[in-house]
Amino acid sequence: MRRIVRLGLFDAAYHRNRTTAAALSAAGAVLRDVHLPVLETIGDRLAPSRDAAALLAMAWRFALGEMRLAPRAGAAIVWAQDLLFGYPGHWDILGWAPLARRLGRRVLFDPLVTLTETFIEDRRLVAPGTLRARLIRWLDRLALRAADVILADTPQQAASWAALAGVPLSRFVVLPVGADERLFDPARRVQAVRRGDDPDCLRVLFYGTYSPLHGAETIVEAVHRLERSSERLAVVMIGSGQCEAAVRARAAEAGLRTITFIRWVPERELPNWIAWADVVLGIFGATAKAGRVVPNKVYQAMAMASAIVTRDSPALRWLADGEDIALLVPPADADALAAALRTLRLPARRAVLAQAARARFEAVASDRARASRLRPLLDSSRPETGGA
């Protein structure tokens, strides 16, 4: 059994870190964590992009955290065969990869997203071409080049990161994000009780961080069109984030009556909301990143056998592989989204999509399926290409 240490200040509670650990365990790896919960205690992780003082404060917290980890890290690195740096792990891999490589340990990196995607391309918090943007790209390249193996959630992400860092695609393993199968269980849909609900009212759910990738403003515009045509629906939008204020303001300006905004709910409650919904919405943003990723909520809805509407993208088509697992609409197209929701008024149509989504989840995104993708990695001592 392969011995793997997850090392650093990564966010242990984050879904990608949990699902990757579940897939590694299912593949037969033995995992040990050497971790300090520094990132879990930072509220606004975007602050450093806007304020130099916040950047210095975060860097200081990171430095202190790594120093506190040092006494425990040595013995763990000696025990391990591989070191895994999870999300967000740029700081961790840059600090620990040189020692790991000196001791002959393989370095695995599971970044989920790059800093360039987050701060420059998607959220547009840092202007391209500026000194800060060049620094961000430089950190991305260093971190990606420090890894022997990089886990990417889609082939499109792998290709993008390979071009950014100048590393070969042979260094990448594509591992879908998946879902926490203990939480997102299709049995929840069967158990859901909907007393007093209007059977003719289409229940629609969105949840997320309101980043540009999500395209939540497109949802509001689609609901506006549906309300004007007297469609009966109930829309719940859960979350908070960068574009939330603008989305709420547009809903208020349009006088929308069918949307209920909820600031946030604990993750353990999300399956109940998915079970309530007739339709779960994915992402609708027009950013480059939105075309390369499949978001958590799509995997979670697939796991629970839900009918899904999301934007068409190369990444989603890769995941679907020709199966009809969701209604796909062009990015930022409110008319197309409204039309898709009208189509899904038919329970039979929803049932076909839901069954196909669940079957595809089991085939490619379940713990069992993702473990099968990782076994060749765990059976090899080192990849064909070493670190840069």
Side-chain angles (χ1 to χ4, degrees):
M1 291 188 291
R2 197 82 183 169
R3 300 187 303 276
I4 299 177
V5 166
R6 298 197 304 170
L7 175 61
L9 312 180
F10 59 92
D11 185 347
Y14 197 76
H15 61 276
R16 173 62 170 186
N17 293 326
R18 299 199 326 264
T19 58
T20 296
L24 285 166
S25 296
V30 178
L31 271 66
R32 178 182 296 179
D33 284 354
V34 179
H35 167 253
L36 283 178
V38 172
L39 279 157
E40 289 97 314
T41 63
I42 296 174
D44 184 4
R45 298 182 191 175
L46 301 180
S49 69
R50 300 186 292 263
D51 181 64
L55 177 61
L56 289 174
M58 183 175 287
W60 176 244
R61 293 180 71 173
F62 284 176
L64 287 177
E66 300 291 3
M67 286 189 288
R68 288 174 58 199
L69 275 179
R72 297 160 48 198
I77 294 173
V78 170
W79 173 84
Q81 294 169 289
D82 299 328
L83 294 186
L84 172 61
F85 298 96
Y87 169 84
H90 286 63
W91 184 277
D92 294 324
I93 195 170
L94 290 175
W96 291 105
L99 175 60
R101 190 165 287 115
R102 185 181 296 270
L103 295 175
R105 302 306 186 256
R106 189 168 58 172
V107 177
L108 314 180
F109 189 25
D110 188 18
L112 183 61
V113 294
T114 63
L115 302 176
T116 300
E117 289 170 310
T118 299
F119 292 106
I120 302 171
E121 295 178 0
D122 186 47
R123 294 183 180 269
R124 299 174 185 172
L125 297 172
V126 177
T130 62
L131 176 61
R132 192 172 295 184
R134 291 196 295 272
L135 174 61
I136 287 172
R137 292 179 67 86
W138 177 70
L139 289 172
D140 275 331
R141 286 194 292 268
L142 284 181
L144 291 167
R145 291 173 181 174
D148 295 309
V149 178
I150 304 162
L151 303 182
D153 58 311
T154 69
Q156 291 74 26
Q157 281 289 65
S160 175
W161 298 348
L164 172 65
V167 299
L169 277 171
S170 58
R171 203 178 293 191
F172 289 81
V173 172
V174 175
L175 183 70
V177 170
D180 186 337
E181 296 179 54
R182 299 167 301 177
L183 276 178
F184 298 95
D185 184 342
R188 295 280 191 101
R189 298 196 66 83
V190 177
Q191 297 164 0
V193 177
R194 297 171 174 171
R195 296 187 183 92
D197 280 0
D198 180 351
D200 296 323
C201 181
L202 185 71
R203 296 175 291 268
V204 181
L205 175 67
F206 164 86
Y207 59 93
T209 58
Y210 284 92
S211 71
L213 173 142
H214 290 278
E217 62 278 5
T218 300
I219 299 170
V220 168
E221 296 301 337
V223 172
H224 188 206
R225 286 154 174 75
L226 292 169
E227 284 198 8
R228 284 189 301 180
S229 60
S230 301
E231 296 283 350
R232 298 170 71 177
L233 71 162
V235 181
V236 172
M237 300 185 70
I238 299 173
S240 60
Q242 181 180 349
C243 301
E244 178 194 3
V247 169
R248 285 179 176 253
R250 175 58 184 141
E253 177 189 21
L256 301 185
R257 304 176 306 279
T258 58
I259 297 182
T260 300
F261 289 99
I262 299 174
R263 288 285 295 179
W264 201 246
V265 300
E267 186 187 33
R268 65 180 180 275
E269 294 180 16
L270 287 176
N272 297 329
W273 283 106
I274 294 172
W276 166 85
D278 295 311
V279 180
V280 177
L281 300 179
I283 59 174
F284 304 95
T287 66
K289 177 184 172 184
R292 297 193 302 261
V293 302
V294 178
N296 315 320
K297 69 189 81 178
V298 167
Y299 285 110
Q300 291 162 352
M302 289 173 67
M304 288 190 61
S306 298
I308 303 163
V309 183
T310 191
R311 67 153 282 177
D312 196 354
S313 71
L316 201 289
R317 289 184 178 270
W318 161 78
L319 177 66
D321 193 28
E323 298 294 328
D324 192 15
I325 65 171
L327 280 188
L328 303 183
V329 299
D333 190 331
D335 289 322
L337 177 55
L341 290 173
R342 289 190 183 98
T343 300
L344 290 180
R345 281 202 164 280
L346 299 173
R349 181 70 176 113
R350 297 198 301 266
V352 169
L353 282 178
Q355 290 168 10
R358 175 62 197 181
R360 189 64 183 157
F361 178 85
E362 292 176 354
V364 300
S366 63
D367 289 347
R368 173 188 53 79
R370 292 181 307 116
S372 69
R373 286 178 172 265
L374 291 174
R375 286 195 184 97
L377 171 67
L378 299 183
D379 291 340
S380 62
S381 59
R382 294 188 70 85
E384 293 181 5
T385 56

